[in-house]
Amino acid sequence: MPEMPSADLSALIGLLDLVGIAVFALTGALLAAQLRQTFVTMAFFALVTGVGGGSVRDLLIGAPVFWVRDPWVAPVCLAVALVSWFTPRRWWDKPVLEWADAAGLGAYAVLGTAKALAFGVPPVPAVLMGVITGCVGGIIRDVLAGRPSILMRPELYVTAAALSSVLCAGGAVLGLDKGLVWPVAAVAGFGLRGAAIWWRLGLPVYSAEREG
Amino acid sequence: MPEMPSADLSALIGLLDLVGIAVFALTGALLAAQLRQTFVTMAFFALVTGVGGGSVRDLLIGAPVFWVRDPWVAPVCLAVALVSWFTPRRWWDKPVLEWADAAGLGAYAVLGTAKALAFGVPPVPAVLMGVITGCVGGIIRDVLAGRPSILMRPELYVTAAALSSVLCAGGAVLGLDKGLVWPVAAVAGFGLRGAAIWWRLGLPVYSAEREG
Amino acid sequence: MPEMPSADLSALIGLLDLVGIAVFALTGALLAAQLRQTFVTMAFFALVTGVGGGSVRDLLIGAPVFWVRDPWVAPVCLAVALVSWFTPRRWWDKPVLEWADAAGLGAYAVLGTAKALAFGVPPVPAVLMGVITGCVGGIIRDVLAGRPSILMRPELYVTAAALSSVLCAGGAVLGLDKGLVWPVAAVAGFGLRGAAIWWRLGLPVYSAEREG
């Protein structure tokens, strides 16, 4: 399992990373716009939301933080902030953004799990790395904005990331083909998150009866 | 001082780690239950509270993050969340939990200080690593839950961790036997925290007169 | 660019670090005093505010965290907390502190950018490292205190750090002399922050018209 990522795998990881980064950065920038913040704050939010989850993952698994030595990731986040600043907000109305975020969530969770496995992390912590990659950027964004984070809402968000991560790690444990497992895992998480958006699904919360 | 940890020391560190992790994870899971959260949030809280302090310590001292390569720590946190979810909350009434947390606090502070010293960190920063190991998981838990953290309450909590850490580092500076110093240091922090729980002790706060 | 820092550069970095650390630690300690906290909380705030930004920078660029192996930085923060505790708050009235913080901000932003460049980080991420070094300690301080962070206020704070960082990185890209660029960059950030304090300048916020 502690194989190093191959060149192809690295290229795919890099591509998925950019997809997730741009979408997540956009959610951060738009939250800043909604909160009537300045451009500098908007850029900071775009960056933190875009790279926060992957940064925590890389620090935890002991990998070089992916965007720090990369000349393109940070400029992409700043460009997303620029675009958000100069375009009307109705271009980015909530449904479009929520669905894009759902796609980013699935892709990012798979990417995070795969990177952790490639660095020799055992399956259960690797699943957690996938969840962290998908969710922590948004959690930091919400904590900085002083609003209840996605973590504290019953909607299926963290759960969708967990589904993608478990499928990805499960496929690796069973030795299945990555070219099959990864898209299936990403689509499954996207589908669960999409179902939650569409039918307003939520998890059951801890019930009062258990306290009796 | 920059000796590497021996096999025995490592085993003891591992054992103390598991004690602290399970108890802290339980406090995180129970807070999630109290806030009427879902199982996924409960598991996230158990993990963050259980491994947060040790993770920050390991990142700061440049050690591999203890639970990421370990196949057991993350499953233990998830198991704690499962147990919390399926048992009535009165099994975990506040006094029992507070005393278990106090024991974990002392043990974790000693462990954190000892690990930092073993990695060549000087005494004063090593004491801070002990405090961070004991308290930061709970602080992250409270920030995520959006409630005032243990850091902001006058009760003796951070102070008890500091006592254990100072005794542990002091014993190391004086060259005393670890087999003696460590239990004494852990029991001292536990005792101070216990006294604070029992007699509702608190530190004096910054007084208004000084502002005159 | 991936040259290692020379001995002279390291000494200058160390000196600038201590300036920023003490001033930032003081702002943390005084916030704890204002919130009527205990000495232990005050010391924790002094430490987090003093070393938080540099710690995140060092973790992200893969450098050993600057204060952990240093026997002096942590004691300086604790000493600042002691001084804050035992002196009347009017000694540290707001204008003095704001101006000192402005000076620390410029110096710290230059230092952070220069350190990142010296570790081979490309210019755009290096600018972000400068901003992080200058601002993240204060942001963590505000999040822990549960108040809106400097990030969310329209005043020119993060922007001033960004100016110093851009000038520092720009000078490096153009191959200009560090002995000239660094002081100019630090003074420019200090000047912009000072102008913001003096004339109560702020950035424009995201306007409602764009939402139409």
Side-chain angles (χ1 to χ4, degrees):
Chain A
M1 189 119 23
E3 68 188 281
M4 290 305 294
S6 70
D8 270 13
L9 185 59
S10 292
L12 183 54
I13 284 180
L15 189 68
L16 285 176
D17 246 345
L18 269 182
V19 170
I21 288 161
V23 171
F24 285 150
L26 187 59
T27 70
L30 293 179
L31 177 60
Q34 188 186 321
L35 295 172
R36 296 270 185 286
Q37 294 293 322
T38 69
F39 176 72
V40 168
T41 304
M42 189 179 264
F44 202 103
F45 266 66
L47 189 83
V48 162
T49 316
V51 306
S55 300
V56 171
R57 173 204 63 208
D58 286 347
L59 289 175
L60 289 175
I61 68 177
V65 178
F66 70 99
W67 61 277
V68 172
R69 306 285 161 134
D70 186 300
W72 294 111
V73 173
V76 162
C77 290
L78 299 180
V80 165
L82 267 177
V83 169
S84 309
W85 183 257
F86 285 112
T87 52
R89 243 178 73 201
R90 70 180 144 73
W91 284 21
W92 314 107
D93 68 334
K94 217 176 161 224
V96 171
L97 194 70
E98 269 195 335
W99 286 91
D101 184 70
L105 184 68
Y108 234 38
V110 169
L111 161 74
T113 309
K115 185 167 184 180
L117 289 170
F119 272 79
V121 174
V124 173
V127 166
L128 296 171
M129 294 303 142
V131 174
I132 286 171
T133 309
C135 303
V136 163
I139 292 174
I140 300 176
R141 172 198 66 204
D142 292 339
V143 166
L144 286 180
R147 64 174 202 170
S149 80
I150 43 172
L151 189 61
M152 307 297 288
R153 290 180 242 144
E155 49 183 311
L156 290 158
Y157 192 96
V158 182
T159 312
L163 176 63
S164 286
S165 302
V166 165
L167 290 178
C168 177
V173 167
L174 298 175
L176 302 180
D177 180 36
K178 283 166 186 167
L180 179 70
V181 169
W182 289 16
V184 167
V187 167
F190 170 67
L192 181 57
R193 177 69 191 136
I197 294 171
W198 195 252
W199 290 293
R200 305 189 170 278
L201 300 183
L203 282 184
V205 299
Y206 188 87
S207 68
E209 294 93 76
R210 285 218 190 79
E211 301 201 15
Chain B
M1 192 123 19
E3 69 188 282
M4 292 302 295
S6 70
D8 270 14
L9 185 56
S10 293
L12 182 54
I13 284 178
L15 189 68
L16 284 176
D17 247 344
L18 270 182
V19 169
I21 289 161
V23 170
F24 285 148
L26 187 59
T27 69
L30 293 179
L31 177 60
Q34 187 187 322
L35 296 172
R36 296 272 184 283
Q37 293 292 322
T38 69
F39 176 72
V40 169
T41 304
M42 189 179 262
F44 202 103
F45 265 66
L47 189 83
V48 161
T49 316
V51 306
S55 300
V56 172
R57 172 203 62 207
D58 285 348
L59 290 175
L60 289 175
I61 68 177
V65 178
F66 71 100
W67 61 277
V68 172
R69 307 282 160 137
D70 186 302
W72 294 111
V73 173
V76 161
C77 289
L78 299 179
V80 165
L82 267 177
V83 169
S84 309
W85 184 257
F86 285 112
T87 51
R89 242 178 74 203
R90 70 179 144 72
W91 283 23
W92 314 106
D93 67 335
K94 215 174 160 222
V96 170
L97 194 69
E98 269 195 335
W99 285 92
D101 184 70
L105 184 67
Y108 235 38
V110 168
L111 161 74
T113 308
K115 185 168 183 180
L117 289 170
F119 272 78
V121 174
V124 172
V127 165
L128 296 171
M129 293 303 142
V131 174
I132 286 170
T133 310
C135 302
V136 163
I139 292 173
I140 299 176
R141 174 197 64 205
D142 292 340
V143 166
L144 285 179
R147 64 174 203 171
S149 80
I150 43 173
L151 189 60
M152 307 298 288
R153 288 180 242 144
E155 48 183 311
L156 291 158
Y157 191 95
V158 182
T159 311
L163 176 64
S164 286
S165 301
V166 165
L167 289 179
C168 177
V173 168
L174 297 176
L176 301 181
D177 181 35
K178 284 163 185 169
L180 179 70
V181 169
W182 289 16
V184 167
V187 166
F190 170 67
L192 181 58
R193 177 70 189 135
I197 295 171
W198 194 252
W199 288 293
R200 306 187 169 278
L201 300 183
L203 281 185
V205 298
Y206 189 87
S207 67
E209 294 95 74
R210 285 218 189 81
E211 299 200 17
Chain C
M1 192 123 20
E3 67 186 284
M4 291 304 295
S6 70
D8 269 15
L9 185 58
S10 293
L12 182 54
I13 284 178
L15 189 67
L16 284 177
D17 247 345
L18 269 182
V19 170
I21 289 160
V23 171
F24 285 149
L26 187 59
T27 70
L30 293 179
L31 176 60
Q34 187 186 322
L35 296 171
R36 297 272 183 284
Q37 294 293 322
T38 68
F39 175 72
V40 168
T41 304
M42 189 178 264
F44 203 103
F45 265 66
L47 190 82
V48 162
T49 315
V51 305
S55 299
V56 172
R57 173 203 62 208
D58 286 345
L59 290 175
L60 289 175
I61 68 176
V65 178
F66 71 99
W67 61 276
V68 172
R69 306 282 160 136
D70 186 302
W72 293 112
V73 173
V76 162
C77 290
L78 300 179
V80 165
L82 266 178
V83 168
S84 309
W85 183 257
F86 285 113
T87 52
R89 244 178 72 203
R90 69 178 147 72
W91 282 23
W92 314 106
D93 67 336
K94 216 173 160 227
V96 171
L97 194 69
E98 269 196 334
W99 286 92
D101 184 68
L105 184 67
Y108 234 39
V110 168
L111 161 75
T113 308
K115 186 168 183 181
L117 289 170
F119 272 78
V121 174
V124 173
V127 166
L128 296 171
M129 294 304 142
V131 174
I132 286 170
T133 310
C135 302
V136 164
I139 292 174
I140 300 176
R141 172 198 65 204
D142 292 340
V143 166
L144 285 179
R147 64 173 203 171
S149 79
I150 43 173
L151 189 60
M152 308 297 288
R153 288 181 242 144
E155 47 182 311
L156 291 158
Y157 191 95
V158 181
T159 311
L163 176 64
S164 286
S165 301
V166 165
L167 290 178
C168 177
V173 168
L174 298 176
L176 301 180
D177 180 35
K178 285 165 185 167
L180 179 69
V181 169
W182 290 16
V184 167
V187 166
F190 170 68
L192 180 57
R193 177 69 191 136
I197 295 172
W198 193 252
W199 288 293
R200 305 189 170 278
L201 301 183
L203 282 184
V205 299
Y206 188 86
S207 68
E209 293 95 75
R210 286 217 190 80
E211 301 200 17

